[in-house]
């Protein structure tokens, strides 16, 4: 089965009322974990690479790893997505590398840290839509700046994210402006700001509607019933993962992520793509810590990377089942990029 455009998968998800987890990858084991989980649950997948991941992995390795994923999993529809493209050039380079979907994150300027004016966001996103749609590639835009409504700050833990204080109106996407943005740009999917942020430290307590504004999603979905909504920063940072990370020497203060049941509510109101990276990072690192601390004599990487891959597979299976993706792989229409 060829890689398919994201639009086709998200349309199918909307018709069948499920959400698709988009998992970040940086190496072979992470791609294998996603594909094992997809095979086990019969789920379609979105594999995504950030700019940092593309630099770390090298585009060439990534392209060939994805070719292997396609070849070895003929019954799984796969989307290859550029996460947080910072410019039309980055998105074009992903299109040239056979990505089937790109995110133009024009909520920030190209530096990845400065909140961008609305008109800039519209301009660069429009440009990417023109470039991408010519090649059958789908486009995700972002309106609103990711960051915490508890602190009024963005985060820069993963190398991008707003610096400095952000106002409430920057941190929560305006539904009326979202309607204009989608009409002006023609994006296939829209990432929104609702108080989530990347990384482990999202909330200092179980989030309520003041700090995780699910109502905003309801409002946007009412105005834009045909636009696929994307939730970034949607790791749940479960307590058991935090505990096992700490148990084997990891340092992490108590934190809360986005509860899975809130994501399920989002899925009922138009959320079709849910970005998850931190939970997999935590699962992988906890597994490595456990193996190495229990077996200090080990130096064969397979002995810790294997359990790390299994730990990520478990997270992916859980999210695929929770978001309703399981069992959907066979009915996703197979549309090649040419079509
Ligand atoms: O965008 C957030 C993802 O967690 C990717 O992070 O830029 O460190 O690869 P990264
Ligand atoms: P988490 O850090 O919550 O996993 O979010 C990942 C993400 O949004 C990638 O774009
Ligand atoms: Zn993100």
């Amino acid at each position: 089965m060829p890689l398919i455009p994201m639009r086709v998968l998200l349309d199918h998800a909307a018709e069948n009322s499920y959400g698709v987890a988009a998992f970040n990858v940086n190496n072979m084991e992470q791609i294998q974990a996603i594909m094992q989980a997809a095979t086990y649950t019969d789920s379609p997948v979105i594999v995504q690479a950030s700019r940092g991941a593309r630099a770390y992995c090298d585009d060439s390795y990534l392209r060939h790893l994805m070719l292997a994923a396609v070849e070895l999993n003929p019954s799984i529809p796969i989307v290859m997505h550029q996460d947080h493209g910072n410019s039309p050039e980055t998105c074009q380079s992903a299109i040239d590398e056979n990505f089937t979907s790109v995110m133009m994150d024009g909520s920030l300027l190209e530096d990845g840290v400065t909140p961008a004016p609305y008109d800039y966001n519209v301009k660069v996103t429009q440009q990417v839509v023109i470039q991408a749609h010519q090649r059958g590639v789908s486009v995700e835009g972002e309106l609103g700046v990711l960051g915490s409504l508890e602190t009024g700050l963005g985060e820069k833990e993963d190398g991008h994210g707003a610096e400095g204080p952000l106002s409430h109106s920057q941190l929560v996407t305006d539904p009326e402006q979202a309607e204009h943005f989608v009409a002006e740009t023609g994006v296939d999917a829209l990432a929104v700001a609702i108080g989530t942020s990347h990384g482990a430290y999202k909330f200092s307590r179980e989030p309520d509607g003041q700090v995780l504004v699910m109502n905003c999603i309801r409002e946007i979905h009412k105005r834009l019933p045909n636009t696929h909504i994307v939730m970034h920063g949607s790791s749940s940072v479960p307590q058991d993962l935090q505990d096992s990370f700490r148990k084997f020497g990891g340092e992490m203060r108590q934190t809360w992520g986005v509860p899975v049941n809130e994501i399920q509510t989002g899925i009922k109101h138009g959320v079709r793509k849910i970005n998850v990276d931190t939970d997999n990072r935590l699962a992988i690192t906890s597994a490595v810590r456990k193996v190495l601390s229990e077996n200090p004599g080990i130096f064969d990487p397979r002995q810790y990377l294997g359990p790390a891959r299994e730990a990520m597979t478990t997270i992916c299976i859980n999210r695929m089942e929770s978001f309703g993706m399981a069992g959907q792989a066979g009915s996703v229409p197979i549309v090649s990029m040419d079509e």
Side-chain angles (χ1 to χ4, degrees), residues 3 14 37 78 101 131 145 165 187 191 220 238 245 262 277 302 307 324 327 338:
L3 293 175
I78 308 174
S101 178
Q131 292 167 203
V145 182
V187 287
I220 292 173
F245 180 70
E262 296 287 3
D277 187 10
R302 292 171 297 189
D338 295 338

Side-chain angles (χ1 to χ4, degrees), residues 24 50 83-84 158 160 198 277 281:
N24 289 76
S50 66
D83 192 23
H84 292 284
D158 57 12
H160 58 87
H198 294 133
D277 187 10
R281 291 177 172 191

Side-chain angles (χ1 to χ4, degrees), residues 37-326:
T39 305
Y40 181 77
T41 58
D42 190 33
S43 299
V45 293
I46 300 175
V47 175
Q48 60 185 8
S50 66
R51 280 191 302 141
R54 288 178 61 192
Y56 175 82
C57 206
D58 194 297
D59 278 341
S60 226
Y61 281 108
L62 196 54
R63 187 171 64 251
H64 285 91
L65 287 168
M66 290 311 298
L67 282 174
V70 168
E71 190 181 306
L72 294 168
N73 300 275
S75 60
I76 304 294
I78 308 174
V79 170
M80 183 63 201
H81 176 77
Q82 164 78 59
D83 192 23
H84 292 284
N86 65 328
S87 66
E89 291 71 31
T90 297
C91 293
Q92 186 59 48
S93 72
I95 295 168
D96 293 340
E97 285 292 334
N98 294 337
F99 283 55
T100 60
S101 178
V102 292
M103 176 185 191
M104 177 61 237
D105 181 356
S107 70
L108 302 174
L109 295 181
E110 192 169 342
D111 63 10
V113 296
T114 312
Y118 176 79
D119 290 346
Y120 167 90
N121 194 353
V122 169
K123 188 173 122 225
V124 289
T125 308
Q126 265 173 350
Q127 191 182 331
V128 171
V129 168
I130 292 167
Q131 292 167 203
H133 283 183
Q134 276 171 3
R135 304 267 291 268
V137 171
S138 312
V139 180
E140 173 184 337
E142 175 164 326
L143 186 65
V145 182
L146 292 190
S148 163
L149 286 158
E150 288 186 66
T151 63
L153 296 172
E155 42 56 59
K156 254 204 91 210
E157 123 171 11
D158 57 12
H160 58 87
E163 273 176 358
L166 295 162
S167 66
H168 192 274
S169 65
Q170 285 176 302
L171 286 165
V172 181
T173 304
D174 174 14
E176 191 181 336
Q177 198 176 49
E179 212 176 330
H180 294 301
F181 185 78
V182 170
E184 287 179 90
T185 59
V187 287
D188 300 290
L190 180 69
V192 295
I194 55 168
T196 66
S197 46
H198 294 133
Y201 301 108
K202 300 181 196 302
F203 305 107
S204 67
R205 55 184 162 83
E206 181 84 20
D208 59 19
Q210 297 298 306
V211 293
L212 177 60
V213 194
M214 298 306 291
N215 258 339
C216 173
I217 285 182
R218 291 189 190 90
E219 288 305 312
I220 292 173
H221 185 52
K222 268 191 221 151
R223 286 173 182 264
L224 292 165
N226 300 318
T227 297
H228 303 307
I229 300 174
V230 182
M231 282 176 66
H232 280 249
S234 290
S235 279
S236 302
V237 203
Q239 191 64 48
D240 60 335
L241 273 189
Q242 294 184 47
D243 292 343
S244 66
F245 180 70
R246 288 188 198 107
K247 183 170 173 193
F248 298 100
E251 289 180 10
M252 174 171 286
R253 62 178 193 271
Q254 180 59 38
T255 181
W256 279 263
V258 182
V260 168
N261 68 308
E262 296 287 3
I263 296 170
Q264 288 166 332
T265 301
I267 292 170
K268 292 197 182 103
H269 297 278
V271 170
R272 298 291 159 233
K273 174 172 181 277
I274 304 106
N275 284 16
V276 174
D277 187 10
T278 293
D279 285 347
N280 288 326
R281 291 177 172 191
L282 255 181
I284 286 170
T285 306
S286 299
V288 171
R289 282 190 172 282
K290 179 175 191 304
V291 174
L292 294 182
S293 73
E294 287 177 349
N295 308 277
I298 278 180
F299 55 87
D300 177 347
R302 292 171 297 189
Q303 289 183 285
Y304 53 86
L305 293 180
R309 182 174 58 191
E310 260 173 53
M312 174 161 163
T313 305
T314 302
I315 298 290
C316 293
I317 289 173
N318 178 290
R319 298 302 180 271
M320 286 169 174
E321 288 175 343
S322 304
F323 301 164
M325 301 161 68

